Structures are given as structure tokens and as C-alpha cells.
């Protein structure tokens, strides 16, 4: 499940169970540093609440797939498939940019931030503004992608595998979103 051993933390586990009732593997990873996990939840919640949920999920999926984070790609791809798109449409987003010019620009910018924020230029920001984003919207996309880099890299650096519950996703979606570490088999 992970390269590191972490302490059992029943209180933390009970407070952070997934809706399906299991303790996510990432919660177990953060059990050794619950204050960091609480800070992460606060930061991510603040970023998410300032954005349209669909845009947040698209930016997050773009960053996660660019970083080859199966865990985050699966989790956020599942949200997109549950709330906004078909499974086939979400699977296609991994390889093909969306048809909508705003969504395409958001995902391209989020990928660039995740892979090399130092390479972002005024032209990249201007491309987002050209499709209607404000300076605050640009900041929101940058924040979502940068935060995803922290979380994804922490999980991958510790060998934390995506939860076995992701095996229940439709085959085409699960395959497309497993871009790095395999799903935990147990």
C-alpha cells in the first residue's frame, strides 16, 4: 500500500472515512502527520470554495494526469464522471483537450503549472484572459494545480497506491485514469 509505515490513528481514521465507509490510503499515509493533513484540507477547501466545481475538477485532473498521479487522477476523474460528464468523456480528457475553448485553456494552463510553473509566461495568462478568465480566475487555476502538485507528489513519494475501491470504476475510465501507480489490489 505504501513504502512507509505510519501509526494507527483510530480517531483520525474515523473522522476521515470515505463516504463508502473505508479509510482512504492517503489518510493512512498522513496518519504520522495529522496536523499537515488538517492544514492540507483547509488549504484545499479554501481553493475549492472559490472556484466553480467543474473548473476546479478539470484543473485538478489536468495537473494530476500531467504529474502521473493515478490516485488524484482517479479521484477527480470520478467526480467529473459522477457530476458533469460521461465516463467516456472523462477518459477522453486524459489524451484529448476538451472542445470548449475555456476548458481547453484551463487544462493546458494547469498542466503547465504542474509540470513547470517557471515556464509560465504572460502569453499563457493572456490566453486564459482571451477566453474570459479574470486575474482571480487565473490565480484560482494556478492554486488548484500547485496544490495538486503537493498532494500528488506526497502520495507518489511515499508509494501510496490508489484505493482498491477505484477498481469499481468502468473499465475504460479506470484504465485511462491509471496514469502512474497501480490501484491497490487489497
Amino acid at each position: 500500500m505504501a513504502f512507509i509505515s505510519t501509526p494507527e490513528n483510530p480517531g483520525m481514521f474515523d473522522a476521515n472515512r470515505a463516504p463508502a465507509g473505508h479509510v482512504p490510503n492517503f489518510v493512512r499515509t498522513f496518519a504520522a502527520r495529522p496536523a499537515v493533513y488538517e492544514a492540507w484540507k483547509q488549504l484545499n477547501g479554501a481553493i475549492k470554495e472559490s472556484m466553480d466545481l467543474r473548473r476546479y475538477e478539470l484543473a485538478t485532473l489536468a495537473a494530476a494526469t500531467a504529474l502521473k498521479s493515478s490516485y488524484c487522477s482517479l479521484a477527480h476523474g470520478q467526480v467529473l464522471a459522477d457530476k458533469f460528464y460521461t465516463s467516456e468523456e472523462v477518459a477522453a480528457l486524459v489524451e484529448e483537450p476538451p472542445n470548449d475553448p475555456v476548458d481547453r485553456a484551463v487544462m493546458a494552463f494547469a498542466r503547465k503549472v504542474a509540470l513547470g510553473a517557471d515556464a509560465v509566461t504572460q502569453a499563457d495568462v493572456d490566453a486564459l484572459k482571451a477566453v474570459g478568465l479574470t486575474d482571480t480566475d487565473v490565480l484560482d487555476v494556478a492554486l488548484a494545480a500547485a496544490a495538486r502538485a503537493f498532494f500528488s507528489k506526497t502520495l507518489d513519494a511515499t508509494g501510496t497506491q490508489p484505493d482498491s475501491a477505484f477498481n469499481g470504476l468502468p473499465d475504460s475510465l479506470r484504465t485511462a485514469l491509471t496514469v502512474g501507480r497501480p490501484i491497490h489490489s487489497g
Side-chain angles (χ1 to χ4, degrees):
M1 180 166 60
F3 300 148
I4 62 171
S5 296
T6 56
E8 288 296 311
N9 190 331
M12 181 179 176
F13 295 168
D14 288 343
N16 292 287
R17 288 191 183 279
H22 71 282
V23 177
N25 292 341
F26 68 82
V27 171
R28 293 183 185 284
T29 295
F30 278 95
R33 296 289 182 257
V36 173
Y37 181 63
E38 289 303 315
W40 158 254
K41 288 192 324 186
Q42 186 176 2
L43 172 64
N44 195 51
I47 294 167
K48 192 174 178 179
E49 77 181 15
S50 69
M51 294 180 75
D52 169 78
L53 180 61
R54 191 177 65 78
R55 181 174 290 165
Y56 167 82
E57 295 296 343
L58 286 170
T60 300
L61 178 66
T65 56
L67 294 165
K68 303 293 186 205
S69 171
S70 292
Y71 209 137
C72 295
S73 296
L74 287 156
H76 294 279
Q78 182 176 26
V79 172
L80 286 166
D82 288 347
K83 296 182 182 284
F84 301 105
Y85 301 102
T86 66
S87 293
E88 293 77 21
E89 289 169 328
V90 174
L93 289 174
V94 175
E95 297 294 327
E96 300 172 25
N99 290 330
D100 180 81
V102 176
D103 294 345
R104 185 173 39 255
V106 164
M107 291 185 78
F109 186 76
R111 282 186 186 100
K112 192 165 190 176
V113 169
L115 292 175
D118 63 316
V120 171
T121 65
Q122 183 67 52
D124 296 315
V125 172
D126 291 345
L128 289 170
K129 290 179 176 184
V131 295
L133 272 70
T134 65
D135 287 334
T136 305
D137 294 333
V138 173
L139 176 60
D140 287 340
V141 175
L143 288 168
R148 186 56 37 205
F150 162 77
F151 201 73
S152 293
K153 288 176 181 269
T154 300
L155 298 183
D156 280 335
T158 57
T160 305
Q161 291 180 287
D163 304 324
S164 59
F166 289 118
N167 283 315
L169 291 174
D171 289 344
S172 62
L173 183 62
R174 185 182 67 250
T175 299
L177 297 174
T178 305
V179 295
R181 294 204 183 282
I183 296 171
H184 185 248
S185 60

